[in-house]
Amino acid sequence: MLGNKGLAAAALLGLAACGGGGGSALSADGGGGTAGAALGVVRLISSVPSSGTAQVPVDAVIWLEFDADMALASFAYPDTWLRAAGSQQDVPVAFTHGANGRVAVTPSQDLAPETDYTLQVSPLTADQNGRILDRTATVAFRTVDHTPPTVTGFDVPNHATGVSRTGPFTLSFDEAIAAGSVSDETVYLRDVFGARYACDASVVGDAVVLDPYADLPGERQLLVVATTSLTDVSGNPLASPFESSFTTAGDAVSPQVTGVWPPTGTANASPLVQPTFAFDESMDPASVATASLLFQDEFGAAVSFAVDATQDQCKLRVRPLAPLTANREYTLAFLLGAVAATDVSGNPLAATQTLTFTTGGDATPPSVWSSSPSPGDLKVPGTLIAQVRYDEDLDPAFVDEASVLLTADGEAWPAVVELVTTDTLQVTPVLPLPTDTACALVLRGGQDGLHDLAGNVPQGDTTVSFSTSSDAGLPGALLLPADGADSVALDARLMVVFDAPMDPATVHASTVQFTDDVGAPIPGDFAVSGGGRVVTFTPTDDLAVEAFYRVRVVGGSGGPRRLTGNWFEADRESRFRTGSTLDLAPPTVTATVNGIPEARRDGMVLPPSGWVVDVTFSDASSQWVAVGELEVELSGGTGPSPQALLADAQLDYGTARLRISDSAPLSEGTWTLVVRATDLSGNVGASSVIAFEVDERSSGVMPFERTQVVWVRTDLDRDGSGAPDFAEDLLRLGLATAGDPVGSNAWLEQVTLQGILAKTNTLYERDPSGEPLEDGSVQVRFTTFEPIALQHAQIALGGLDPEGDRTRAYGDQSTGVLGRAFFDYQNRDFSDRNTTNAPGTGVFPAEMFLYQARIHQQVYPSYQTTFASRFLPLCPDMGGTPAGSHPLDAAVLTPGFDYESASGSERARWNTVMAAIDDWTSVIGVILAHEIGHAVGLVAPGAMPTGLFGDSSLHDSFAGAAEVMAPSVGYEAMATLNYMVRDLDLAYLRQRVLLR
């Protein structure tokens, strides 16, 4: 172990591993545990009932099917429970074995009817071989429901007066209502004369919200009605009809005209035009007749008409009963006085506005000329930007989300609709469309739909139906030479490299174009290779000197498409300029395996699959590497071909990543790897040769044949004070208050511990909550409670170094050691106990506190350390006010604190406490990750295949400033730098490199 190494505010403290401790013992099978042949994790295959099931009997037994026989004792974790929705009370259940990995979950008594339940299963749930689930699993269901719903209230009191004329109005029930049962026949508004008022009706939780489309009449008695055809989600009808009455507020304000269409003075209007007036409130269309609206031609001849209203009745459309005469002027004007049109409350217009226009001869409605996607198109990308071109210009006033609708599986899908050219509209989904889904563009016809400039409308809707692909991503492509490239060699070939195999029928000279600067095709040979990923164009002659050329990939449905069907959103283009010379220099190529540099890869042993090759390459004199011709040659046995590796590779202009997949593993034995790169002129460069061994995964060479469970213990009292060491740390720091005056200590302890584990989980390539990520997560699962019937490691977290004086306090000297752990080579013992007092093992946060406090005393107030900037306001020994003792803390330090609505002083106090917790958890999280690293085999001394290039202290040799397994660390660095596990160490933890 190392002692203190200090530079004023940038103190360095030692971390240590004890060699030859509990980790030195080998199990009988040579691996970690009693069942070395049981690899990986256990899986939950299915459940009965499945999640989302309704009408589950109250006496039902819940069946869980796993892929192995389970250890029933492991279902006793506190995070395995059955609970009713909204409750924190567990329903008592019994777990029993069934056949073939099935487990029966039997409640001790009948469940409550008409109740939503969730069964949660802990990620520590294990099979009989010690494999854990490693993911939290849930099953949600609703029990049988035969009770009719009842109305519990209406947000307007019965017989209320002066009620808003616009709503919305909320009808509440004692349970959720089935949205499919809500219609204008089952719940509605009507007046005492029987007239109904159209509303938008929506289900929101246990309520139905009615939002009238049009303003309600003033001083009108109305009733809200709910019929027995309204049902709950289980299909039970409303117990009895419901009615409640109210009277709307008075309305004595006259309506006003706010706009007209077509604009007054318009020429060449369609003889079929239907002029429209817009008002500032809802109008009564029945009040508009020949006596109230003048509609005549230039000769004074009256036009017979009818009036139609929009849904909100704020627009009245005047519909001539016969086509108008072409090339004639018409005038419309509302009349005033006793015959004036009125709003829905009977108030007459007080002012008028005249509309004049002249007709033309165009009476032909617009029609769709082309669309992308095309009708019936399959495998359309969910991220499409749809375009529809018409055979004539459209009126932009009618191009919006009301006239153009995007649907997915029959439901409206939010989208932005715009006119991008005079005859082309564009539809952009707000969110990507779901995969494998029937979708449609509905182009509205009629007077509420699309119009041409003359006012003609399609007679009916036009529907463009299509289905989305199974692929949620858009294709990508590298265009070579890249856009903006200069001095390109005259003998260069041109290339397009796609990010996935493409449909060969869509990749040809019309969709991937190689042209001069004005778009003229270059003579040459067009070839597709690389499993449909690579297009290579070889010009017939050398390119011209200092000339511009272009490489273009056509976007949209008419361009190249992935095998899954997805196309490019828009054209991709590269414009480059040639130089005046040929290229004779080969490119430079560097390759690594798992990111391990050359200095640390001698003696490397790899598993048959799961590891990665990273390649960097460049070419001199602004020339370009032909990425699509990259070749990874593996020699030594059976394995994937260079073509197969390239087909699945992640490629960029100067880098590539290739993964050895489980579907094409390498055979055991001695191998070499070399990467060759060819530039666009045909010159070949090669990386240095990488030699390695391939060994089968087995318990003898794998650190984690199954997930290592680590119990992080904060319950220990190793200084004998009568309180847990971890809790005492928070009191020292000021993250808790003695006596817990506002009851915040337990919550703050939970937040701090969760933050520490979140940092450690992130360093181990996991989700902050501990859930594994899709690729590369380390098989280490942390828990804060004792594992049940499961081999596991333990580590103490909290307090002082047990090898130092246990009575030390603020101002005393630190031992300079932040943690110790038994070094367990290759993690051969799943049951390490890093909780001992002699030697003292675990993580010692109090030593960091003592060390930082002592530096603070030495430099303050001339200098304020990072530690002091966070803890001066909190630490009692530094004059701070601990969390839980400030007047604001009763409100601020609660799980339900609402930062957005808080006062400035409350926000400031919250920020003070949380910023300190954030720094502290980052620091201690790094230390915990470090000590756990020792417990699972980091850092084995010596070179591979037995070592990880650790030094005699079992730490990284020549460690960087932010490496987790460095021999010493500093508070400022851990609080501010992006700490990471060294490449080789991480490859070991991910089991992408093996030790023998």
Side-chain angles (χ1 to χ4, degrees):
M1 70 192 74
L2 299 182
N4 281 337
K5 294 181 180 179
L7 288 177
L12 295 177
L13 295 182
L15 301 114
C18 301
S24 63
L26 287 172
S27 60
D29 61 2
T34 60
L39 305 179
V41 297
V42 68
R43 293 189 307 113
L44 175 61
I45 298 172
S46 64
S47 68
V48 178
S50 58
S51 197
T53 300
Q55 297 290 45
V56 174
V58 295
D59 59 351
V61 174
I62 305 162
W63 285 95
L64 305 175
E65 182 182 357
F66 298 87
D67 65 351
D69 290 333
M70 304 301 291
L72 289 183
S74 70
F75 286 86
Y77 288 108
D79 55 346
T80 291
W81 41 254
L82 177 64
R83 293 176 182 170
S87 172
Q88 297 299 310
Q89 184 69 38
D90 294 358
V91 176
V93 295
F95 296 91
T96 55
H97 273 132
N100 301 321
R102 300 180 78 205
V103 173
V105 185
T106 307
S108 61
Q109 58 187 26
D110 285 355
L111 301 176
E114 306 163 19
T115 304
D116 294 313
Y117 284 91
T118 298
L119 173 65
Q120 177 174 292
V121 182
S122 170
L124 296 179
T125 305
D127 68 8
Q128 295 182 5
N129 287 315
R131 299 184 305 160
I132 65 170
L133 194 60
D134 207 15
R135 292 183 184 274
T136 303
T138 59
V139 178
F141 60 91
R142 182 174 177 81
T143 52
V144 66
D145 179 0
H146 295 304
T147 302
T150 59
V151 176
T152 58
F154 184 53
D155 64 348
V156 177
N158 196 23
H159 305 305
T161 58
V163 175
S164 167
R165 297 172 49 238
T166 58
F169 305 101
T170 301
L171 194 60
S172 301
F173 298 83
D174 62 349
E175 59 177 307
I177 296 298
S181 73
V182 176
S183 70
D184 55 6
E185 294 297 326
T186 60
V187 57
Y188 54 85
L189 290 176
R190 69 171 178 85
D191 61 20
V192 292
F193 307 108
R196 294 191 184 184
Y197 297 87
C199 297
D200 175 59
S202 57
V203 176
V204 181
D206 292 347
V208 174
V209 178
L210 296 176
D211 192 0
Y213 291 119
D215 301 339
L216 299 173
E219 292 190 20
R220 182 73 57 88
Q221 185 179 357
L222 300 173
L223 294 91
V224 61
V225 179
T227 73
T228 55
S229 296
L230 204 65
T231 70
D232 63 18
V233 294
S234 297
N236 301 302
L238 194 64
S240 58
F242 173 85
E243 288 187 359
S244 182
S245 69
F246 61 90
T247 302
T248 56
D251 173 23
V253 179
S254 293
Q256 297 183 41
V257 176
T258 59
V260 295
W261 181 89
T264 192
T266 293
N268 297 315
S270 169
L272 303 176
V273 70
Q274 296 185 13
T276 302
F277 288 83
F279 299 85
D280 63 348
E281 60 175 306
S282 300
M283 298 294 290
D284 178 5
S287 69
V288 182
T290 53
S292 56
L293 175 63
L294 173 70
F295 190 176
Q296 63 184 27
D297 65 14
E298 60 188 276
F299 304 109
V303 177
S304 299
F305 63 86
V307 173
D308 299 320
T310 55
Q311 200 168 44
D312 63 4
Q313 296 177 213
C314 289
K315 288 183 179 179
L316 298 181
R317 188 170 55 249
V318 182
R319 172 167 47 87
L321 298 181
L324 302 178
T325 303
N327 304 312
R328 185 167 295 185
E329 183 178 86
Y330 288 87
T331 300
L332 292 90
F334 279 96
L335 304 178
L336 304 179
V339 296
T342 67
D343 63 18
V344 293
S345 299
N347 299 305
L349 275 172
T352 189
Q353 181 173 336
T354 301
L355 166 60
T356 61
F357 62 89
T358 302
T359 55
D362 179 8
T364 303
S367 62
V368 174
W369 180 269
S370 64
S371 68
S372 174
S374 302
D377 214 342
L378 305 176
K379 300 181 180 180
V380 173
T383 51
L384 91 159
I385 298 177
Q387 288 194 339
V388 180
R389 184 182 178 190
Y390 277 78
D391 60 353
E392 60 177 311
D393 292 349
L394 298 177
D395 186 339
F398 292 89
V399 177
D400 54 27
E401 288 75 15
S403 59
V404 181
L405 179 67
L406 177 63
T407 67
D409 200 19
E411 299 293 328
W413 194 266
V416 175
V417 178
E418 55 191 333
L419 196 64
V420 291
T421 65
T422 56
D423 62 358
T424 303
L425 58 87
Q426 181 168 285
V427 183
T428 305
V430 174
L431 296 173
L433 291 165
T435 57
D436 285 323
T437 301
C439 300
L441 284 172
V442 181
L443 310 164
R444 298 293 192 197
Q447 294 298 327
D448 290 328
L450 297 165
H451 290 53
D452 67 13
L453 294 179
N456 297 302
V457 298
Q459 291 302 304
D461 295 348
T462 300
T463 301
V464 179
S465 298
F466 61 94
S467 61
T468 54
S469 77
S470 59
D471 181 359
L474 282 176
L478 306 177
L479 279 57
L480 291 162
D483 188 41
D486 197 19
S487 301
V488 172
L490 303 180
D491 57 348
R493 296 165 297 155
L494 313 182
M495 182 173 286
V496 172
V497 182
F498 297 100
D499 66 347
M502 307 299 285
D503 180 349
T506 67
V507 181
H508 43 74
S510 296
T511 59
V512 181
Q513 302 170 1
F514 303 92
T515 70
D516 63 18
D517 203 33
V518 297
I522 308 170
D525 180 52
F526 185 104
V528 180
S529 61
R533 286 191 66 178
V534 182
V535 175
T536 304
F537 183 80
T538 306
T540 303
D541 301 309
D542 285 350
L543 301 175
V545 175
E546 296 184 354
F548 285 99
Y549 292 90
R550 297 175 186 262
V551 179
R552 179 170 175 255
V553 176
V554 175
S557 59
R561 300 177 68 166
R562 283 184 181 172
L563 290 174
T564 57
N566 290 0
W567 60 66
F568 291 84
E569 281 185 326
D571 291 356
R572 299 282 301 276
E573 187 171 84
S574 163
R575 181 175 185 257
F576 64 91
R577 186 181 184 185
T578 58
S580 58
T581 62
L582 306 180
D583 177 16
L584 303 177
T588 300
V589 187
T590 302
T592 62
V593 171
N594 295 320
I596 302 168
E598 184 174 2
R600 290 196 288 269
R601 71 186 181 210
D602 289 346
M604 187 163 51
V605 179
L606 302 175
S609 61
W611 44 276
V612 297
V613 179
D614 287 300
V615 186
T616 59
F617 41 83
S618 61
D619 204 5
S621 304
S622 302
Q623 303 310 311
W624 293 85
V625 173
V627 181
E629 296 178 354
L630 197 70
E631 179 184 5
V632 177
E633 181 182 307
L634 290 162
S635 301
T638 58
S641 67
Q643 294 79 12
L645 288 172
L646 188 64
D648 293 329
Q650 299 175 28
L651 303 173
D652 209 336
Y653 287 106
T655 62
R657 167 165 282 195
L658 305 95
R659 184 180 179 89
I660 310 301
S661 71
D662 295 340
S663 61
L666 274 62
S667 59
E668 290 185 72
T670 300
W671 286 80
T672 59
L673 177 153
V674 65
V675 180
R676 295 185 181 87
T678 304
D679 64 21
L680 293 177
S681 297
N683 305 299
V684 181
S687 71
S688 58
V689 176
I690 300 175
F692 58 93
E693 296 287 325
V694 170
D695 198 355
E696 288 290 345
R697 292 186 176 96
S698 68
S699 58
V701 295
M702 293 169 58
F704 311 111
E705 58 264 35
R706 51 195 182 280
T707 306
Q708 168 72 69
V709 177
V710 180
W711 180 15
V712 180
R713 299 198 61 176
T714 58
D715 60 327
L716 299 175
D717 175 22
R718 297 202 286 178
D719 62 5
S721 66
D725 300 333
F726 187 80
E728 288 185 320
D729 289 338
L730 301 190
L731 293 173
R732 291 186 185 96
L733 292 162
L735 296 179
T737 298
D740 198 12
V742 298
S744 59
N745 283 3
W747 180 72
L748 287 166
E749 181 175 333
Q750 180 186 30
V751 169
T752 304
L753 181 55
Q754 287 175 345
I756 292 170
L757 293 179
K759 178 67 175 182
T760 305
N761 279 318
T762 301
L763 293 169
Y764 279 80
E765 302 293 323
R766 285 182 167 252
D767 180 90
S769 68
E771 298 289 281
L773 301 176
E774 289 302 318
D775 180 51
S777 288
V778 178
Q779 288 182 238
V780 175
R781 183 87 197 196
F782 297 98
T783 177
T784 57
F785 38 77
E786 182 176 7
I788 302 169
L790 187 67
Q791 277 192 320
H792 67 279
Q794 297 182 16
I795 188 165
L797 174 59
L800 296 159
D801 178 0
E803 295 191 9
D805 183 351
R806 300 182 185 182
T807 65
R808 287 173 296 150
Y810 182 81
D812 290 334
Q813 184 78 33
S814 167
T815 65
V817 178
L818 299 177
R820 295 188 194 86
F822 289 116
F823 174 71
D824 183 3
Y825 181 65
Q826 287 187 243
N827 194 34
R828 292 188 177 183
D829 185 355
F830 263 39
S831 302
D832 288 327
R833 295 292 183 264
N834 291 300
T835 56
T836 60
N837 285 4
T841 56
V843 175
F844 320 132
E847 297 298 336
M848 176 63 83
F849 170 78
L850 292 181
Y851 192 73
Q852 290 298 319
R854 194 170 178 85
I855 290 181
H856 167 70
Q857 289 177 311
Q858 295 169 354
V859 302
Y860 190 76
S862 299
Y863 181 82
Q864 182 170 289
T865 65
T866 300
F867 173 84
S869 69
R870 294 297 193 212
F871 287 96
L872 268 172
L874 298 171
C875 177
D877 289 315
M878 297 167 73
T881 304
S885 58
H886 191 281
L888 296 173
D889 287 350
V892 169
L893 302 182
T894 64
F897 174 66
D898 183 4
Y899 188 88
E900 295 302 320
S901 63
S903 67
S905 57
E906 287 174 335
R907 292 186 183 187
R909 179 60 177 176
W910 188 90
N911 288 335
T912 295
V913 176
M914 293 303 155
I917 290 176
D918 188 56
D919 270 14
W920 187 254
T921 56
S922 292
V923 169
I924 305 306
V926 172
I927 300 168
L928 176 60
H930 176 108
E931 299 304 337
I932 293 299
H934 287 316
V936 297
L938 297 180
V939 179
M944 292 184 288
T946 58
L948 296 169
F949 290 89
D951 58 25
S952 59
S953 71
L954 305 175
H955 295 94
D956 285 339
S957 57
F958 307 107
E963 287 187 7
V964 169
M965 298 309 298
S968 58
V969 293
Y971 182 94
E972 285 76 7
M974 290 187 290
T976 57
L977 297 182
N978 182 26
Y979 264 71
M980 300 182 69
V981 178
R982 177 181 276 185
D983 41 36
L984 178 57
D985 299 346
L986 188 57
Y988 162 82
L989 292 174
R990 286 171 159 171
Q991 303 186 121
R992 293 178 177 176
V993 66
L994 305 175
L995 299 184
R996 287 174 171 167

